[in-house]
Amino acid sequence: MIGLISATAAGAAARDRLAAAWPDRTRVYGGPVADAVRAAFAECDRLVCFLATGAVVRLVAPLLHGKADDPGVVCVDEAGRYAVSLLGGHGGGANELAREVGEVLGSEPVVTTATDAVGLPGLDTLGLPVEGDVAAVSRALLDGEAVALRAEVTWPLPPLPVAAEGAYTVRVTDRIVEPGDGEAVLRPPTLVVGVGASKGAPVEEVLGLVGDALREAGLSAASVAELATVDAKAGEPGLVEAARRLGVPLVTHAAQALARVAVPNPSDAPLAAVGTPSVAEAAALVGGGELLVPKRKSAGSPAMATCAVVRRPGRGRLAVVGLGPGARDLLTPRARDELRRASVLVGLDQYVDQIRDLLRPGTRVLESGLGAEEERARTAVEEARRGQAVALIGSGDAGVYAMASPALAEASDDIDVIGVPGVTAALAAGALLGAPLGHDHVSISLSDLHTPWEVIERRVRAAAEADLVVTFYNPRSRGRDWQLPKALAVLAGHRAPATPVGIVRNASRADESVRLTTLAALDPATVDMMTVVTVGNTATRQIAGRMVTPRGYRWQEETR
């Protein structure tokens, strides 16, 4: 919960805007400001104070406990110009909150955390438990000193400026280790603990069994990703509470699925009870991995719980990112986040140039020219299979005539794939033209490099007969100058010569151009590969210089 505190009418107005935008995330604290800050500090994860920073410093100073415990605090000035991350920038989430507040209120986020200032990911912002000499290693990274990366298990990390050897170390492991001087230890969630339990198994017995199994195998509880069991035990109180105390989900699997998993220690008892010869080992192994701790029983008499531990291989991460039509302000916040998260970026050289300044230092860039789409897709998938965090970029939306299709055709289920939508060329052009896509519409590429012309023509004819608004991608190039006239002729067989047509070149870019013409007047020679052509349907009209397709035909009938 985010606590909101203000002292003046102007502050209250901004506070109420934030509360209205985040009704389920915020709580307004009224009354005397000092009392409100004390209450919110004790009850909330983060605070937004519409007060001067000096006043907030004095109010929260007596309340501070430590970096790991204090909530994040953001200060917003009276005019709402700045959102200052004052306390708990990383651990308390204040840096991200300042950015979110800025998006709602139009404030400029002010973040002074050293790693954020120079574009480095903080070790405590990677979403992994971190131990050891974190401050010293972070300082070494900031100072450009040699920091070695020792990855004992594979995990997709964002770019870190690390070396083969160094006086400081970032260690990635799921084993119990005592961090040395100048060493920070990251704990990736690689361990799955399979658990079985008799009805009424005490939570203490389950936790004791799991703790002993991990400790004796030299494995860190901080790397446990989940407890796994059979569906029949989904509501077993001891397992539910054990998962809660460990801070991990209780994941359940159908008995039939577990029965198909080959295990070293099957038993007749669980087969008779829940329909599978193994619960603990099978539930841990169902997703694949290395069995580190075979089935063992708890110390109770009789034993009421069993467990097994598996290390799942680290999965690479492939984000397929749509950059939008070109303008920086049409690049989505999610796309920005993925670009900064990636340790490897793969893309067309001209698209890489658009966003190179957004990449973190140390990002490895693999760029190539036009015509190498399949090679880029293969490269991105191969890098993800090596355990990297990869961003594969495309213009517009990566799933529309772009890189998502070839990449997903290459990718199997051994990597995680994340799709990041972008503003398409058709949408960007439509917004500039008015509202040409107000009713049913279709996008058709006129490039016959990947699709035979006979197929393209059949689709154009179907769109013409169905009276759909049509947006043509890749309409005309030097080597393909006849397809657009042919497609327009097909449409002209079903639409009036005065049908509105929108011509948008380089939508949202510095040299954008927008023209409205008609189906009869359009000169295909004025169109190139940087152009999107939108042809209206029989209801589309020019109104006040804009292209408008009504949402229904009733409007058309009423205006005749």
Side-chain angles (χ1 to χ4, degrees):
M1 185 62 65
I2 302 170
L4 306 180
I5 301 105
S6 62
T8 66
R15 176 203 69 195
D16 292 344
R17 286 175 58 197
L18 205 60
W22 300 338
D24 299 326
R25 300 175 59 193
T26 56
R27 176 181 172 186
V28 173
Y29 285 79
V33 170
D35 294 343
V37 169
R38 276 194 298 271
F41 203 90
E43 297 169 359
C44 296
D45 303 312
R46 292 176 290 176
L47 281 68
V48 179
C49 299
F50 296 86
L51 306 164
T53 53
V56 177
V57 168
R58 287 189 292 272
L59 289 169
V60 303
L63 309 176
L64 301 180
H65 295 289
K67 186 175 181 179
D69 303 315
D70 296 330
V73 178
V74 171
C75 293
V76 180
D77 65 288
E78 286 284 291
R81 295 171 300 175
Y82 303 104
V84 181
S85 174
L86 183 69
L87 178 70
H90 285 164
N95 290 352
E96 181 58 30
L97 180 58
R99 297 185 181 100
E100 291 185 79
V101 169
E103 291 177 7
V104 174
L105 300 181
S107 310
E108 182 177 347
V110 179
V111 175
T112 58
T113 312
T115 50
D116 292 84
V118 299
L120 288 175
L123 295 178
D124 54 354
T125 66
L126 303 182
L128 304 178
V130 59
E131 307 167 7
D133 205 351
V134 179
V137 175
S138 297
R139 188 164 54 249
L141 289 168
L142 287 167
D143 292 343
E145 299 188 45
V147 178
L149 177 64
R150 292 177 56 191
E152 298 174 13
V153 293
T154 301
W155 199 257
L157 297 174
L160 293 168
V162 292
E165 300 291 338
Y168 298 87
T169 304
V170 175
R171 188 173 181 180
V172 185
T173 183
D174 55 17
R175 294 199 170 273
I176 297 172
V177 294
E178 188 64 35
D181 292 338
E183 182 177 59
V185 177
L186 292 171
R187 302 289 191 189
T190 55
L191 305 177
V192 177
V193 180
V195 287
S198 301
K199 183 176 177 60
V203 62
E204 290 77 11
E205 185 168 339
V206 175
L207 288 173
L209 171 64
V210 172
D212 290 345
L214 293 170
R215 185 170 51 256
E216 292 173 20
L219 300 170
S220 172
S223 283
V224 175
E226 64 187 52
L227 294 189
T229 191
V230 66
D231 280 350
K233 296 296 179 180
E236 185 62 42
L239 298 185
V240 172
E241 178 62 14
R244 189 192 69 79
R245 293 192 195 179
L246 289 169
V248 299
L250 178 65
V251 178
T252 63
H253 303 279
Q256 298 93 320
L258 298 185
R260 292 192 293 268
V261 178
V263 298
N265 300 293
S267 172
D268 291 335
L271 179 61
V274 294
T276 173
S278 172
V279 173
E281 287 180 340
L285 283 166
V286 70
E290 177 188 4
L291 184 62
L292 302 179
V293 179
K295 182 180 73 174
R296 57 185 289 168
K297 296 181 179 181
S298 57
S301 183
M304 299 189 73
T306 59
C307 84
V309 183
V310 162
R311 176 187 289 136
R312 289 186 180 168
R315 292 170 62 87
R317 189 176 192 276
L318 174 60
V320 187
V321 181
L323 300 180
R328 180 59 60 85
D329 60 352
L330 292 181
L331 178 70
T332 67
R334 187 178 300 179
R336 287 173 180 262
D337 291 344
E338 289 295 345
L339 293 175
R340 295 180 64 77
R341 177 172 181 165
S343 59
V344 179
L345 182 89
V346 182
L348 179 68
D349 47 13
Q350 58 185 294
Y351 298 153
V352 172
D353 289 341
Q354 290 179 23
I355 48 83
R356 198 183 298 271
D357 61 303
L358 297 178
L359 305 178
R360 291 190 188 275
T363 303
R364 185 156 54 95
V365 177
L366 305 176
E367 54 188 311
S368 54
L370 286 168
E373 288 83 3
E374 292 181 358
E375 177 188 343
R376 285 194 291 275
R378 283 193 296 269
T379 297
V381 172
E382 288 168 2
E383 290 291 334
R385 285 185 175 137
R386 295 189 183 105
Q388 301 292 329
V390 182
L392 174 63
I393 59 173
S395 67
D397 182 280
V400 179
Y401 303 122
M403 293 306 301
S405 294
L408 269 61
E410 291 284 338
S412 50
D413 62 0
D414 57 346
I415 61 173
D416 294 325
V417 178
I418 296 90
V420 181
V423 177
T424 67
L427 294 178
L432 292 169
L433 292 168
L437 309 182
H439 207 292
D440 297 336
H441 55 274
V442 63
S443 295
I444 299 176
S445 171
L446 294 183
S447 172
D448 55 2
L449 296 177
H450 300 286
T451 307
W453 173 252
E454 293 76 14
V455 174
I456 296 172
E457 184 174 5
R458 187 165 67 247
R459 291 171 179 172
V460 174
R461 194 172 305 279
E465 293 172 352
D467 199 28
L468 298 173
V469 175
V470 181
T471 298
F472 289 125
Y473 279 70
N474 306 312
R476 183 177 181 274
S477 68
R478 290 181 181 178
R480 293 186 303 99
D481 59 359
W482 58 268
Q483 286 90 343
L484 179 59
K486 179 68 173 176
L488 294 173
V490 172
L491 291 177
H494 298 266
R495 297 180 193 180
T499 299
V501 178
I503 311 296
V504 179
R505 188 177 190 278
N506 282 334
S508 87
R509 301 185 185 185
D511 57 345
E512 89 177 7
S513 64
V514 182
R515 291 187 292 121
L516 266 179
T517 184
T518 65
L519 190 56
L522 171 61
D523 180 4
T526 63
V527 173
D528 62 14
M529 286 290 286
M530 307 304 293
T531 305
V532 171
V533 178
T534 301
V535 182
N537 67 9
T538 57
T540 305
R541 296 288 182 269
Q542 286 195 40
I543 302 174
R546 302 180 185 91
M547 186 176 177
V548 180
T549 302
R551 293 192 61 187
Y553 283 84
R554 183 180 305 167
W555 174 87
Q556 178 187 9
E557 294 169 356
E558 291 173 351
T559 57
R560 284 178 177 172

